[in-house]
């Protein structure tokens, strides 16, 4: 299990390194990530690379038992690149050339940048290949951030992408729906940059995402060729960012890396970024943020939250607060003065714990009977088509995930094209677009006995962001037993009436509302006031061996809890145990033992009742019945599997 930190040797005098590395060793650090922003230090002048300083840093760390995840550094070019090759600069959607001065101000498909970046990345990989002190590679950093480019050169590349995808301009016209506002193209060159057209906007989003995936694939394949046996990762960025389809990016790397800043990102991303791979590594884990008041205990607790969700370790960001630059007043284990303080003590405590039980945790994985689906394509399609941020599918996905988490129900979070055969219950909130592959996948899941819960607005458009000319939810309408004719916002919450779902009576519908016409479906809840009074809000339909629930609105709070509780009960899914608010239990399962992680996110001691007898893996204490977890602390409880 990795217990790591981000280290920037280039930020500090070389005589300081020995102090840093000794302190890391003492804190149990076994890995560092280095080099993602080091291009200007690795190649200070064009064509004259200097790897000596990084060689010395890698060797010093290795001599103290600390391995390195080396990064390719090409996404933050040094000043000489912009000076000599101004064509690398990207252009924002409003047509302005983005000037040098921030990160990621280059266009990925610009030939100058492509050549220069492949040059430095190949040089770094060739230099460090075969070095046993390097255990793996990270391609770049936060792939895709700010790299969108809307210049004429990229527009021409987009035309090539369209030609490869559609084959003929008439096929494109047919797929996008011709003639609206005179949008009927006779040549590829006529296709403009995306503005308001939902079909064009979605495809340009895919084009940009593909550039990021291809950027990563080229480097990943080169690493596998030149430095075989090493893993390749990259870090998926914050959940609010939707520039790249991470489900596609995951396919060109070996280990899903991610940023984990829980004060500003939902717990869902730990499951979603773990995805179908089943494991992930936070390569950047919260230590402190200037805007968040974080006392002792949180850094360690959030790290264990990631491990409980399947992380194969944690890499803290970063070793020491930097004295300069745009992130001067942000993250760091050590304060600016470089002296030991409370976060170093927490790091050391965790280092001792990981040394004690890390291998045991490594032999386990999360295990779920419930999955939540979310697709970047559905988010892009909805945004391009409606431009209503409040309807972002992520909002409903997060709400459902949080509710399951509060009930201690282990949950996977996946792209809708992933294998669903092992689940009993699948939530697909606001699955606005449904492509053929997703439709077949979801139908097969229901046909084989699964319970599928869709929420509005689902099945609105196809893979081209074109509205279905069959009843909504499109390819799932027959399985859902309903026809949805209209979608409207709910400016005020509306009370619901339900006898079928305990606890839903009087709960509020909010945000939006589908007009549902139940053909063969049963109505489980109706609206209780306004012009919608008596109209269906929630329906249920048996289909083959399974069942489709359609929630024609958004539920929050008690209403969502009632729905989730009802569906878990119907599907035969149970939470691990009951816990008071603020105490959550997570599970990892191996071949010979089950581990429960009980995390107390409050500043008061909390207790819960354990079923049977467990061993506290950290203290060795036997636990049974009423079990207390100290404030901002955790227990890792083990139970043998017979
Ligand atoms: Zn461009």
């Amino acid at each position: 299990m990795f217990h790591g930190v981000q280290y920037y040797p280039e930020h500090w005098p070389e005589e300081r390194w020995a102090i840093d590395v000794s302190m890391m060793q003492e804190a149990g650090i076994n890995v560092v990530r280095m080099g993602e922003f080091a291009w200007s230090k690795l190649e200070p002048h064009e064509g004259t690379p200097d790897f000596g300083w990084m060689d010395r840093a890698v060797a010093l760390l290795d001599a103290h038992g600390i391995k390195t995840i080396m990064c390719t550094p090409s996404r933050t070019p040094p000043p000489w690149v912009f000076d000599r090759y101004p064509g690398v600069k990207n252009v924002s959607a409003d047509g302005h050339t983005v000037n040098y001065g921030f990160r990621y101000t280059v266009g990925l498909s610009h030939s100058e940048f492509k050549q220069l970046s492949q040059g430095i990345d190949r040089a770094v990989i060739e230099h460090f290949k075969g070095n046993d002190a390097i255990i793996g590679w990270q391609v770049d950093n936060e792939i895709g951030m700010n790299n969108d480019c809307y210049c004429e050169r990229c527009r021409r590349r987009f035309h090539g992408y369209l030609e490869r995808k559609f084959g003929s301009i008439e096929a494109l016209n047919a797929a996008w729906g011709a003639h609206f506002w005179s949008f009927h193209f006779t040549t590829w060159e006529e296709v403009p940059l995306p503005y308001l057209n939902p079909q064009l906007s979605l495809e340009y989003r895919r084009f940009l995402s593909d550039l990021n995936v291809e950027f990563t694939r080229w480097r990943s394949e080169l690493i596998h060729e030149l430095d075989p046996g090493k893993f390749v990762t990259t870090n998926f960025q914050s959940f609010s960012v939707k520039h790249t389809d991470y489900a596609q990016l995951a396919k060109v790397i070996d280990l899903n890396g991610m940023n984990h800043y829980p004060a500003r990102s939902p717990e869902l991303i730990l499951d979603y970024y773990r995805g179908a791979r089943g494991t992930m590594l936070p390569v950047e884990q919260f230590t402190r943020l200037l805007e968040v008041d974080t006392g002792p205990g949180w850094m360690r607790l959030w790290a264990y939250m990631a491990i409980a969700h399947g992380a194969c370790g944690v890499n803290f960001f970063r070793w020491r607060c930097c004295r300069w630059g745009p992130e001067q007043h942000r993250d760091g284990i050590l304060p600016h003065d470089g002296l030991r303080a409370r976060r170093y003590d927490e790091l050391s405590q965790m280092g001792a714990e990981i040394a004690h039980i890390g291998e045991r945790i490594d032999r386990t994985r999360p295990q779920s009977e419930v999955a939540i689906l979310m697709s970047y394509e559905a988010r892009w399609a909805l945004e391009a088509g409606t431009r209503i941020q409040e309807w972002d599918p992520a909002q409903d996905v997060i709400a459902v995930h949080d509710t399951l988490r509060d009930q201690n129900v282990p949950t996977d979070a996946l792209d809708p094209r992933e294998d669903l055969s092992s689940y009993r219950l699948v939530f697909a909130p606001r699955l606005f677009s449904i492509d053929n592959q997703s439709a077949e996948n979801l139908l097969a899941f229901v046909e084989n006995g699964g319970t599928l819960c869709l929420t509005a607005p689902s099945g609105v458009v196809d893979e081209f962001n074109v509205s279905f000319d069959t009843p909504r939810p499109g390819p799932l309408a027959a399985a859902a037993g309903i026809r949805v004719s209209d979608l409207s916002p709910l400016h005020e919450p509306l009370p619901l009436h339900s006898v079928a779902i305990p606890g839903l009576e009087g709960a509020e519908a909010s945000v939006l509302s589908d007009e549902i016409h139940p053909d063969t479906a049963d109505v489980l809840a109706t609206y209780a006031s306004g012009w919608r009074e008596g109209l269906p809000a929630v329906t249920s339909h048996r289909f083959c061996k399974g069942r489709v629930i359609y929630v024609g609105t958004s539920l929050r709070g008690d209403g969502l809890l009632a729905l989730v509780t009802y569906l878990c009960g119907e599907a035969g899914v149970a939470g691990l145990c009951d816990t008071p608010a603020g105490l959550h239990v997570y599970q990892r399962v191996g071949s010979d033992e089950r581990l429960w992680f009980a995390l107390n996110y409050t500043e008061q001691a909390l207790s819960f009742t354990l079923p049977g007898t467990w061993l506290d893996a950290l203290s060795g204490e036997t636990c049974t019945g009423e079990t207390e977890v100290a404030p901002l602390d955790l227990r890792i409880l083990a139970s043998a599997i017979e």
Side-chain angles (χ1 to χ4, degrees), residues 457-474:
S458 282
V460 180
V461 298
D462 66 12
E463 65 176 296
F464 300 111
N465 214 2
V466 174
S467 300
F468 289 112
D469 60 358
T470 56
R472 283 174 45 204

Side-chain angles (χ1 to χ4, degrees), residues 404-410 574-579 583-586:
L404 287 160
R405 187 267 329 267
D406 289 348
Q407 301 306 303
N408 303 307
V409 177
L576 297 172
C577 57
D578 292 329
T579 51
L583 176 64
H584 298 153
V585 175
Y586 312 90

Side-chain angles (χ1 to χ4, degrees), residues 121-357:
D121 287 348
R122 177 182 278 279
V124 171
I125 296 163
E126 284 186 337
H127 181 81
F128 290 104
K129 71 182 180 186
N131 187 332
D132 291 338
I134 290 166
I135 53 168
W137 289 86
Q138 177 177 310
V139 174
D140 205 82
N141 183 66
E142 296 169 1
I143 297 284
M145 179 188 181
N146 294 341
N147 268 125
D148 291 8
C149 186
Y150 298 83
C151 77
E152 281 300 311
R153 297 159 80 191
C154 287
R155 186 167 80 96
R156 289 196 293 276
R157 291 198 175 277
F158 180 51
H159 295 156
Y161 163 93
L162 294 174
E163 191 168 1
R164 287 190 296 279
K165 176 156 186 170
F166 291 96
S168 75
I169 197 71
E170 279 311 320
L172 178 141
N173 282 320
W176 287 5
H179 300 301
F180 188 84
W181 287 355
S182 247
F183 261 57
H184 186 92
F185 305 110
T186 56
T187 66
W188 301 108
E189 289 71 27
E190 291 169 357
V191 178
L193 288 165
Y195 294 106
L196 290 178
N197 184 295
Q199 291 73 46
L200 176 53
S201 294
L202 173 63
E203 209 57 70
Y204 201 73
R205 184 66 270 158
R206 279 199 188 107
F207 163 71
L208 293 171
S209 178
D210 283 1
L211 285 180
N212 293 315
V213 174
E214 285 310 309
F215 178 93
T216 309
R217 184 201 307 274
W218 186 89
R219 283 145 183 84
S220 184
E221 288 176 355
L222 188 66
I223 291 163
H224 288 150
E225 178 194 333
L226 298 180
D227 201 13
K230 310 287 178 68
F231 67 81
V232 176
T233 186
T234 190
N235 54 336
F236 302 167
Q237 211 181 350
S238 142
F239 191 64
S240 60
V241 177
K242 42 183 185 278
H243 48 54
T244 307
D245 186 337
Y246 287 146
Q248 300 303 315
L249 190 59
K251 290 179 180 159
V252 301
I253 56 175
D254 308 307
L255 174 62
N256 297 3
M258 63 177 289
N259 290 356
H260 185 222
Y261 293 87
R264 61 181 183 195
S265 61
E267 198 165 331
L268 164 76
I269 64 168
L270 291 163
D271 290 331
Y272 192 64
Y273 290 169
R274 184 181 78 242
R277 178 152 274 141
T279 186
M280 81 306 193
L281 175 64
V283 290
E284 289 189 19
Q285 147 84 40
F286 173 99
T287 53
R288 70 181 288 271
L289 289 169
L290 188 63
E291 63 270 32
V292 180
D293 179 16
T294 316
W298 282 106
M299 186 184 93
R300 169 174 167 266
L301 198 62
W302 276 327
Y304 275 111
M305 179 210 271
I307 290 170
H309 279 280
C312 58
V314 166
N315 197 67
F316 291 94
F317 191 83
R318 57 196 155 187
W319 175 243
R320 180 173 170 183
C321 295
C322 198
R323 294 178 56 210
W324 38 71
E327 296 184 350
Q328 178 180 351
H329 301 293
R330 298 176 46 120
D331 326 65
I333 294 282
L334 302 185
H336 291 98
D337 61 19
L339 300 175
R340 293 173 185 228
R342 63 178 165 86
R343 283 188 297 280
Y344 180 81
D345 295 338
E346 255 178 71
L347 184 80
S348 302
Q349 179 190 351
M350 196 165 168
E353 291 163 352
I354 293 299
H356 179 41
I357 59 164

